[in-house]
Amino acid sequence: MSRSHMQIGVRTQRVRDWWVEFTVPAASGLPRRGVLLTGLLSLLVVFLVLVATAINGTSSGAFFPLIYSGADPALLFGQPNLIRTDEWNVQTVWAITQVQQGLPALNGSFPGGMDSTIPQDLPRLDWTVAFRPHLWGFLFLDVDHAQAWKWWSPVFGLAAATWTFIVSLLPRRPLMAMVLAIAFTASPFFAWWLLQTTLWPVAWGFAVLAAAIWAARSTSRTALWVWRAVVGYLTVVVGMGIYVPFIIPVALVAAFVVTGIAIEASRSRGWATVVRRFSGLVIAGLGAGVILVLWIVTRWDTVDDFLSTAYPGERLEPTGGAANAQGVAAVFGSSFTNSLRHAGTFLNGNASESATFFLPGVFLGAIVLWLAVRERRAGRALPWSALLGYGAVLLLLAFIFVPGWDAVAHALFLDRSTSGRARIGLGFGSMVIVVLLLSRISPRSRPSWLVSSIGPVVFLASQAAIAIGLGVLAPDLLRASGVWWFYAVLGSVAILSVARGWRVVTATALLLISVAATYNVNPVYVGVFDLRTTQPAQTIEALDDAAEGTWVGLGGGLPTALLLESGATSFNGFQGAPGEVMWEAIDPAGAYELEWDRLAGVSWVNGEGEPTVMNPYPDQIRVTFDPCSEFAQENVDHVVSDQTQVPNSSCLRLHEEFRLNGADLKIWQVIPKAG
């Protein structure tokens, strides 16, 4: 062997020795501070780079072809995801509106104003923003970089919490833990539902589990206090998100697994010690509850109005809402995720509603049972965390597929979620089970090939059955799913590798499955498409500055977005709790209260006479507009209409016309009715 090869070998061995020493756990079995900080700082560096470059996944570029011809220079990869209207046509538009108005707590876009904290979660200047970390960028950055901050904050929060949980159980495997965390964060469900209300609850769930592990094992008082602070803070973050259908399933799984961790710890430390250590987390949660109560009390009118709406109001979901073959296929059809990008749906209403997780943990029930038998035979404590975690997953599956136990589901608050939203708990629970098993199974101690093969075989059979059903009933969806068989085989490999203790194979397979299914769901975009830079919005702003008035936008989404981002007061936009002043003007007799008393987008179309209100969909309010009506004459000063709407011009004076690429616009002034 040459001297150069010997030197390389020596250096390689030194690196290996350093790595082994670096990843040696503390005496408690937990990762050392250096490992934790290195992983978290690595994620932080990537986050800051993305914010500095303003790169994010907004689909606000959907407005670009309506204004300009040619290619959008800010679009680096992919195409705007039009189905994600909650992001690009609601939250992003409202965020820019807030910036235009100076980040007020009471947004002035609707007549009478709108609380900017519920439910749109808009950037604002009040104490509650301290618990909305994804909004901090709007306090000190321009809109482009603030959008990147908002986009990536919950993503990296989820990745960091997931990684911390995994590395707390597998301290010698920080790189593998990072791959697993990225794989989970890139799950199709998150990609299609990428909003802070979706990501923060799961980040909270992993933080709670990590905190429980540290409470059970750590000998550092500082570490315990840090975890109490993290749990308390994230509890407020999640609570202020107020989206209960995503919170409840995650909280249920977390409660079951934490109970299991406490039971396991009691065997070695005794219940008195466990209660004392875990009480700190309970106190942190109670402290968070005090903050949330204060927040709710200061905004009780808005909260009460929101909860008493006709839609969504207080919806209670019956058990077994997906108790049919289509429902089963929708939950477990992870191998067919590509159909969402091409066909736009997979057995549900739209791509977001159809999105699911790859659920390896669900198919590892035999391994959980084998582990319990092994531990019992060895005279060791049962793996209560895995058993109760799997029990929570089965409970969620029962809620989705088994009817007839509504009273129990109500007592567990499960009926505040839905069959589709409960998938978030399945995805969370599945990953928890995978990690718990990987921490206990190794090539030296693992089940037989027969037991190991049960999960992979069942998974392959389920995917084959779904494919056969689609081939008969919906062949277009099967074609749109592409190489579904490859995902099915790779998924079975991932399930088998957990059972065999092949940790690197597990992490690699899960990463491939997630990235392949989601890399093109959202575009890669620089900044945000800001309509305030366009000529129509600048004209609206100039008119409003010269003589402040109230507006109506007729037609599609562009007139509404232009009015909002320009900062004008109008009767258009996505409302939370309906405003009394606004609807008193539109519907003074309350004849259409059922139609407008809802969380929904408000749009306008041509009509005759006083406004009539209708609901094309439960979350849409469509109102007719006649400029000669009493409502318009008394309450509206200007109108913006697109080419789909030609209003009665006898009570309008044309101010300016814009020939745009995809949506010609006219701005009108409302004039008195003749005679």
Side-chain angles (χ1 to χ4, degrees):
M1 180 182 295
S2 67
R3 178 175 295 181
S4 61
H5 283 92
M6 291 179 63
Q7 290 175 340
I8 293 173
V10 170
R11 291 171 183 168
T12 302
Q13 187 59 46
R14 286 176 179 172
V15 171
R16 289 174 179 170
D17 293 342
W18 172 84
W19 181 253
V20 170
E21 183 179 355
F22 178 69
T23 58
V24 168
S28 61
L30 293 165
R32 294 185 182 274
R33 183 182 302 175
V35 171
L36 277 176
L37 291 179
T38 300
L40 294 176
L41 287 175
S42 298
L43 289 172
L44 178 61
V45 168
V46 178
F47 166 73
L48 292 177
V49 169
L50 290 170
V51 172
T53 57
I55 290 175
N56 67 103
T58 180
S59 291
S60 59
F63 288 118
F64 183 91
L66 300 180
I67 307 291
Y68 305 113
S69 60
D72 186 346
L75 182 63
L76 303 183
F77 175 79
Q79 296 296 326
N81 192 340
L82 300 184
I83 195 61
R84 300 203 63 244
T85 53
D86 282 352
E87 182 270 313
W88 65 269
N89 198 33
V90 178
Q91 286 204 0
T92 300
V93 169
W94 273 113
I96 296 174
T97 302
Q98 278 289 101
V99 173
Q100 178 69 10
Q101 295 184 14
L103 303 180
L106 183 69
N107 183 280
S109 294
F110 287 131
M114 181 189 75
D115 188 336
S116 64
T117 64
I118 303 175
Q120 308 295 359
D121 191 29
L122 303 180
R124 65 270 184 182
L125 291 173
D126 77 335
W127 68 271
T128 63
V129 81
F131 299 96
R132 316 308 291 150
H134 48 280
L135 300 178
W136 293 348
F138 289 96
L139 304 180
F140 60 92
L141 297 172
D142 58 68
V143 169
D144 287 338
H145 293 88
Q147 169 65 23
W149 182 288
K150 181 182 180 183
W151 182 270
W152 294 117
S153 291
V155 172
F156 279 83
L158 174 58
T162 307
W163 179 81
T164 305
F165 165 70
I166 298 171
V167 83
S168 296
L169 290 173
L170 295 162
R172 289 186 177 274
R173 302 287 186 273
L175 293 180
M176 186 212 69
M178 187 64 72
V179 173
L180 278 175
I182 295 171
F184 180 72
T185 305
S187 295
F189 188 91
F190 295 132
W192 286 96
W193 282 102
L194 207 155
L195 294 171
Q196 62 274 12
T197 51
T198 312
L199 300 176
W200 282 129
V202 187
W204 169 87
F206 278 118
V208 167
L209 297 187
I213 293 169
W214 281 72
R217 301 180 184 179
S218 179
T219 58
S220 168
R221 295 184 64 181
T222 301
L224 295 180
W225 278 106
V226 168
W227 276 114
R228 291 164 187 168
V230 170
V231 168
Y233 177 77
L234 286 179
T235 300
V236 181
V237 170
V238 171
M240 285 189 177
I242 72 170
Y243 198 71
V244 174
F246 282 153
I247 297 173
I248 293 298
V250 173
L252 183 97
V253 174
F256 273 53
V257 178
V258 167
T259 301
I261 294 171
I263 295 172
E264 292 168 1
S266 70
R267 289 291 298 267
S268 59
R269 292 184 175 271
W271 274 111
T273 301
V274 169
V275 170
R276 177 171 53 81
R277 283 173 160 265
F278 278 65
S279 62
L281 297 178
V282 175
I283 292 172
L286 292 175
V290 171
I291 296 174
L292 288 171
V293 168
L294 176 62
W295 172 66
I296 290 173
V297 167
T298 59
R299 287 159 174 78
W300 177 248
D301 289 342
T302 303
V303 172
D304 184 53
D305 289 344
F306 175 68
L307 293 178
S308 62
T309 53
Y311 174 88
E314 188 180 359
R315 292 181 296 177
L316 300 179
E317 180 87 353
T319 53
N324 50 64
Q326 178 175 319
V328 173
V331 170
F332 293 108
S334 58
S335 299
F336 306 87
T337 295
N338 278 346
S339 67
L340 303 183
R341 197 68 179 93
H342 300 290
T345 183
F346 179 76
L347 304 179
N348 284 105
N350 57 50
S352 295
E353 297 287 349
S354 298
T356 189
F357 291 89
F358 170 50
L359 301 168
V362 175
F363 296 90
L364 289 166
I367 308 304
V368 173
L369 180 60
W370 170 87
L371 181 62
V373 172
R374 186 194 74 175
E375 300 299 273
R376 175 61 71 186
R377 287 178 176 175
R380 295 187 291 263
L382 287 173
W384 283 107
S385 54
L387 286 169
L388 289 177
Y390 198 78
V393 167
L394 291 179
L395 184 63
L396 290 174
L397 288 173
F399 171 69
I400 295 171
F401 297 121
V402 181
W405 53 287
D406 292 7
V408 177
H410 184 70
L412 294 172
F413 298 98
L414 269 174
D415 57 359
R416 275 72 170 182
S417 188
T418 67
S419 298
R421 304 302 191 271
R423 295 177 195 174
I424 197 170
L426 291 178
F428 173 58
S430 172
M431 178 54 69
V432 170
I433 291 166
V434 166
V435 175
L436 290 171
L437 291 178
L438 288 177
S439 69
R440 291 175 176 266
I441 296 174
S442 70
R444 295 181 180 178
S445 179
R446 60 191 180 189
S448 66
W449 276 100
L450 179 61
V451 175
S452 300
S453 300
I454 294 175
V457 169
V458 173
F459 175 74
L460 277 176
S462 70
Q463 304 308 287
I466 293 172
I468 292 171
L470 289 177
V472 174
L473 302 175
D476 56 326
L477 287 180
L478 186 61
R479 287 191 297 270
S481 299
V483 290
W484 66 269
W485 51 269
F486 173 76
Y487 293 111
V489 171
L490 193 57
S492 66
V493 170
I495 296 169
L496 178 65
S497 64
V498 176
R500 304 304 293 165
W502 301 335
R503 294 164 177 167
V504 174
V505 176
T506 300
T508 303
L510 291 179
L511 182 65
L512 289 174
I513 290 171
S514 290
V515 172
T518 61
Y519 76 95
N520 62 351
V521 170
N522 295 296
V524 179
Y525 205 80
V526 178
V528 62
F529 187 74
D530 190 342
L531 286 167
R532 294 179 301 170
T533 63
T534 65
Q535 192 175 357
Q538 291 171 356
T539 301
I540 293 171
E541 186 178 348
L543 273 173
D544 210 50
D545 289 342
E548 185 175 345
T550 305
W551 297 67
V552 159
L554 294 179
L558 183 59
T560 295
L562 286 167
L563 288 171
L564 288 173
E565 292 194 21
S566 64
T569 298
S570 74
F571 289 92
N572 291 63
F574 199 95
Q575 70 176 14
E580 182 178 344
V581 172
M582 172 172 164
W583 289 105
E584 175 68 24
I586 299 172
D587 182 27
Y592 299 100
E593 184 173 358
L594 181 64
E595 285 77 15
W596 55 254
D597 185 22
R598 59 187 59 222
L599 173 72
V602 182
S603 61
W604 294 75
V605 294
N606 289 329
E608 294 184 4
E610 299 306 313
T612 58
V613 188
M614 62 202 86
N615 303 120
Y617 299 96
D619 62 349
Q620 291 185 22
I621 301 169
R622 185 174 294 168
V623 193
T624 62
F625 179 78
D626 181 349
C628 296
S629 66
E630 184 177 342
F631 159 75
Q633 292 288 300
E634 293 182 0
N635 297 282
V636 182
D637 300 289
H638 301 284
V639 175
V640 181
S641 65
D642 63 20
Q643 72 271 23
T644 68
Q645 303 294 316
V646 183
N648 175 10
S649 60
S650 64
C651 294
L652 293 175
R653 178 186 297 119
L654 183 64
H655 176 80
E656 193 164 351
E657 184 173 0
F658 301 92
R659 298 291 182 182
L660 306 177
N661 184 54
D664 292 348
L665 292 170
K666 293 181 179 180
I667 294 179
W668 311 80
Q669 180 182 357
V670 177
I671 58 176
K673 182 179 179 180

